[in-house]
Amino acid sequence: MYLSGPCSHLAQPLKNPVAPPESGESIHDATCDGDGDEEKGKGEGNGREGMGKEKKKDEKEKGKGKRKRKEDEIGMEQGKNENKEEEEKVNKGNAGGILTNKTFSELYISEFTAKAITEMNYTHLTEIQARSIPHLMLGSDVLGSAKTGSGKTLAFLIPAIELLHKACFTPRNGTGVIVVCPTRELAIQTHNVAKELMKYHSQTIGYVIGGTNIRNEANQIVKGINLLVATPGRLLDHLRSTSGFHYKRLQCLIIDEADRILEQNFEEDMKQIFKRLPSDRQTVLFSAPQTQKVVDFANFTFGQNEERQRKLVYVGVDDSKLKPTVEGLQQGYCVIPSEKRFLVLYAFLRRMQLREQGVKIMVFFSSCSSVKFHAELLNFFGIECYDIHGQLKQQKRTSTFFRFLKEKRGILLCTNVAARGLDIPDVDYIVQYDPPDDPKDYIHRVGRTARGDEGKGSALLFLLPEELKLLIYLQAANISLTQYVFSEKHVPKSQSQLENIVGGNYFLNQSAKEAYRSYLLAYNSHSMKDIFDVHQLDLTKVAASFCFKNPPKVNLDLESGASKHRKMRKVDSGKKHGIGPSNPYGRRARSDSRQVARF
Ligand SMILES: Nc1ncnc2c1ncn2[C@@H]1O[C@H](COP(=O)(O)OP(=O)(O)OP(=O)(O)O)[C@@H](O)[C@H]1O
């Protein structure tokens, strides 16, 4: 069931009807970055075929209480009713996968979009798509949440493109849809997916992100970009200073990874953005589940507007499922003393590299300096790897990202800048060399693997003995990890043995010191430092992992922090929690029947 013809109208009237199109007017690609790199990654992750045919009734909704609480908080009466009906209508189309039995051909969408979807090899909708697209197409404000890798991008892009199509937007009408993404790479990737979906449409598309030439972007914006993907800071810059930016007819504002937008301290920018954009637009928020932040964000977005809050439709796909990570993900941790961490990482990557079939690995660190240093060191030792972090020039960041995206095998060292939303095909392993900030960060990092329908992957968390308490916090978020122990025979005994293996003699430079310093800083300013035994860190051992025989002097300026910790130590003295390598989740209550598998 496709709607054909360029100007069929929405079931509900548009909020800001646009002027009729001028004949012959169109800019087919208003992409704002001269660097053609983003094109290379186009469609990489979209060729998933083999949609399951097996039909299986979905489990009845569980845990309604939890969702009810969320709904009450932001007054989503309408959403509650519609969700119930939707859940009953949408049945799973494949066991263990993310697809439903609903097909794209059942959607009331234009033939242009339908043709593009077919060419992208999508036939069935995922659950979040099946449940949110109908509401979005009716023009409702929607708050959508579903696990990582479950197809949220298409869920908001398809209705947005249909909206522009039905309203017959032309460049002259300016911007009709804005998609806000928290990171530059995610913005580029979202733009690429939208571009592929809009291949047969006449509407224009572009993106604006920090770190690129603002004047080139402004020139494109002035020509008219109907669907604009943007990072918040750069969007605000254009709203403030690009005089020909025509956004008064904006129909829809979409915010992807909404919780992250608040975390990254974009609140002020977002407030300014909301103030400038027409208030009668449709507003759409998408995020991973398990996050109170999204509810906060809905409150923040709609403020005092009770009417809007009441009408907001909440589509929470995985709220009733206990596990916040996907089925195809195998997850474990290993306890490694600091002086051995690099050696274990080296041994792990070396073994993976020797595998015949290509293996794709992402390794997360807590700071840019650490990524830089470890990339330098691993490349020196003959383990080729890419690196992405916030201190790289945007052009390098973008080109590295797309190179890794295309690789069949390879290693990417990164900070959390690569943790959210990025859809990198076929990542086999996520290694967390430094711990995540909190369970939510953990979920997003491991969400870079096992993506899409029946995706599979593994995640390995490196923990120092001082960091074991983190497992309790993960457990509280229903994330239970298996313990793995590295066989010592594969791990070089010491750094000097490693040097002998590669026959090299590398010199210590400023980057080692920088990395060591930022490691200590990250450790001390970690948002969950309260749960780490920071004061027990043995600096000599930590320094050894950065190739120093003796800890170098670094100025951390942590006087107050240190005394706070000493005080905390007094309060939290002894081993009340009972955590140790043999009992990583701490003392158990009698009723606790958790199983911890060990090897
Ligand atoms: N209907 C579909 N059928 C098959 N595959 C799909 C479908 N929709 C999306 N996918 C695939 O699933 C993968 C994940 O999609 P997407 O990036 O939209 O997930 P997400 O929910 O936004 O994840 P995150 O929360 O990490 O941002 C992509 O590779 C995409 O091509």
Side-chain angles (χ1 to χ4, degrees):
M1 269 182 282
Y2 305 133
L3 298 184
S4 56
C7 282
S8 39
H9 285 277
L10 276 174
Q12 277 195 357
L14 289 172
K15 288 167 182 163
N16 292 319
V18 295
E22 298 262 304
S23 59
E25 207 177 26
S26 85
I27 297 175
H28 282 273
D29 181 15
T31 303
C32 291
D33 192 349
D35 175 356
D37 257 343
E38 75 277 15
E39 288 305 306
K40 294 175 196 158
K42 183 174 145 181
E44 279 279 356
N46 297 329
R48 289 173 201 263
E49 284 177 88
M51 314 303 172
K53 297 279 185 289
E54 192 187 330
K55 290 178 185 170
K56 189 184 162 208
K57 287 275 175 199
D58 199 12
E59 277 188 338
K60 281 280 171 198
E61 184 190 354
K62 283 180 196 162
K64 277 181 188 159
K66 198 167 164 190
R67 201 180 67 213
K68 173 84 174 74
R69 187 178 53 79
K70 264 192 189 170
E71 286 159 359
D72 286 346
E73 266 171 270
I74 50 176
M76 290 174 284
E77 283 300 316
Q78 187 184 343
K80 185 175 64 182
N81 298 335
E82 282 170 289
N83 270 339
K84 254 195 243 161
E85 282 167 29
E86 277 305 324
E87 267 176 50
E88 272 151 28
K89 268 188 268 170
V90 175
N91 296 321
K92 278 274 196 189
N94 58 346
I98 57 169
L99 300 181
T100 62
N101 59 6
K102 190 165 177 175
T103 61
F104 282 102
S105 57
E106 291 172 56
L107 290 180
Y108 285 93
I109 52 175
S110 64
E111 55 191 330
F112 301 139
T113 310
K115 193 168 170 203
I117 291 173
T118 307
E119 285 175 15
M120 290 161 93
N121 284 323
Y122 298 129
T123 54
H124 290 72
L125 282 82
T126 66
E127 203 173 341
I128 185 69
Q129 291 162 1
R131 287 182 41 206
S132 58
I133 288 177
H135 297 298
L136 289 165
M137 302 260 294
L138 284 173
S140 305
D141 290 335
V142 169
L143 168 52
S145 85
K147 283 180 186 175
T148 54
S150 58
K152 294 189 284 291
T153 314
L154 287 191
F156 61 73
L157 281 181
I158 291 172
I161 292 165
E162 286 304 291
L163 173 61
L164 292 173
H165 168 75
K166 285 165 190 161
C168 302
F169 258 80
T170 68
R172 190 169 161 265
N173 301 129
T175 300
V177 173
I178 295 179
V179 182
V180 177
C181 301
T183 67
R184 297 165 185 181
E185 285 75 16
L186 183 57
I188 298 172
Q189 197 165 50
T190 305
H191 162 268
N192 287 347
V193 178
K195 194 171 170 188
E196 210 166 347
L197 282 170
M198 287 171 76
K199 169 161 157 190
Y200 298 107
H201 285 276
S202 61
Q203 278 73 34
T204 54
I205 174 166
Y207 68 88
V208 293
I209 56 173
T212 54
N213 188 322
I214 193 162
R215 202 171 287 174
N216 287 349
E217 289 180 351
N219 290 340
Q220 293 297 334
I221 283 181
V222 171
K223 286 183 193 161
I225 298 178
N226 298 143
L227 190 153
L228 181 68
V229 186
T231 49
R234 185 53 69 94
L235 174 63
L236 186 58
D237 288 346
H238 284 294
L239 290 172
R240 278 181 177 146
S241 57
T242 303
S243 54
F245 188 3
H246 190 12
Y247 55 85
K248 291 293 171 207
R249 285 183 172 142
L250 186 83
Q251 306 288 311
C252 176
L253 174 69
I254 298 166
I255 302 168
D256 192 14
E257 305 286 345
D259 57 319
R260 174 72 180 218
I261 301 269
L262 276 192
E263 268 170 32
Q264 279 190 332
N265 299 325
F266 283 132
E267 291 118 296
E268 206 33 59
D269 284 358
M270 288 310 297
K271 269 187 202 153
Q272 295 298 324
I273 289 170
F274 290 151
K275 226 191 262 174
R276 285 176 158 77
L277 297 179
S279 57
D280 56 349
R281 60 170 197 267
Q282 179 184 21
T283 303
V284 180
L285 309 171
F286 267 86
S287 150
Q290 295 262 329
T291 158
Q292 171 63 30
K293 279 258 161 73
V294 181
V295 180
D296 296 346
F297 197 84
N299 288 327
F300 169 69
T301 309
F302 298 107
Q304 302 304 312
N305 192 335
E306 284 175 18
E307 176 70 4
R308 290 290 286 266
Q309 290 219 12
R310 198 171 55 74
K311 287 191 175 160
L312 177 66
V313 177
Y314 176 63
V315 182
V317 165
D318 299 303
D319 285 1
S320 55
K321 292 169 193 153
L322 278 176
K323 232 172 119 189
T325 48
V326 292
E327 289 306 321
L329 178 72
Q330 216 190 346
Q331 35 193 345
Y333 72 96
C334 48
V335 185
I336 311 167
S338 48
E339 75 276 19
K340 286 254 166 178
R341 272 192 337 153
F342 178 72
L343 304 174
V344 173
L345 179 69
Y346 166 84
F348 176 78
L349 296 178
R350 170 64 79 214
R351 278 174 74 78
M352 288 296 154
Q353 241 187 0
L354 294 177
R355 281 198 182 172
E356 251 175 54
Q357 76 276 27
V359 178
K360 222 163 156 182
I361 305 173
M362 288 174 80
V363 188
F364 283 92
F365 294 85
S366 59
S367 71
C368 302
S369 318
S370 212
V371 171
K372 256 196 282 185
F373 166 70
H374 286 99
E376 214 172 272
L377 197 57
L378 285 166
N379 280 313
F380 178 84
F381 285 142
I383 298 192
E384 250 180 72
C385 48
Y386 297 107
D387 58 319
I388 286 191
H389 53 81
Q391 282 172 9
L392 279 182
K393 286 229 161 72
Q394 186 53 41
Q395 211 172 8
K396 172 94 173 81
R397 230 167 99 170
T398 309
S399 62
T400 303
F401 170 62
F402 282 105
R403 267 164 61 203
F404 184 66
L405 201 81
K406 284 199 300 174
E407 296 281 11
K408 284 275 164 278
R409 60 194 304 161
I411 300 164
L412 175 72
L413 310 190
C414 53
T415 54
N416 274 350
V417 79
R420 296 270 181 152
L422 296 184
D423 185 37
I424 303 171
D426 307 322
V427 173
D428 301 284
Y429 277 95
I430 301 296
V431 177
Q432 301 191 52
Y433 189 78
D434 290 326
D437 263 358
D438 52 31
K440 207 155 18 81
D441 251 2
Y442 175 92
I443 293 166
H444 282 285
R445 283 175 170 191
V446 300
R448 296 318 98 209
T449 187
R451 294 175 67 74
D453 188 37
E454 295 181 4
K456 298 240 177 305
S458 306
L460 185 60
L461 174 65
F462 282 20
L463 287 178
L464 304 186
E466 297 85 1
E467 293 168 342
L468 268 164
K469 267 202 259 178
L470 177 65
L471 293 177
I472 297 181
Y473 284 73
L474 295 180
Q475 180 92 2
N478 293 312
I479 304 162
S480 209
L481 309 185
T482 305
Q483 185 177 7
Y484 291 98
V485 177
F486 267 88
S487 159
E488 288 281 339
K489 79 170 187 244
H490 298 299
V491 180
K493 293 278 175 296
S494 67
Q495 206 73 49
S496 57
Q497 195 183 349
L498 182 61
E499 284 177 50
N500 291 339
I501 292 169
V502 294
N505 213 347
Y506 62 91
F507 52 94
L508 293 176
N509 57 20
Q510 193 55 27
S511 81
K513 197 164 166 184
E514 270 301 307
Y516 172 70
R517 180 174 179 275
S518 53
Y519 173 84
L520 296 180
L521 273 176
Y523 220 93
N524 277 281
S525 62
H526 197 286
S527 63
M528 294 208 304
K529 65 185 173 188
D530 298 4
I531 67 162
F532 295 158
D533 293 329
V534 181
H535 47 268
Q536 285 182 10
L537 272 187
D538 180 334
L539 287 191
T540 312
K541 289 179 175 175
V542 172
S545 76
F546 292 93
C547 312
F548 291 107
K549 286 207 174 71
N550 299 307
K553 279 210 174 89
V554 291
N555 181 15
L556 292 180
D557 197 17
L558 287 169
E559 277 309 302
S560 52
S563 63
K564 201 171 133 208
H565 276 290
R566 271 194 296 277
K567 275 184 215 147
M568 250 161 28
R569 191 181 179 183
K570 277 183 200 149
V571 178
D572 190 24
S573 62
K575 298 218 168 195
K576 274 182 271 168
H577 45 66
I579 298 162
S582 61
N583 191 14
Y585 294 111
R587 270 201 189 108
R588 293 178 184 197
R590 264 200 204 151
S591 56
D592 190 345
S593 58
R594 284 172 293 178
Q595 301 263 319
V596 183
R598 293 203 178 76
F599 292 81

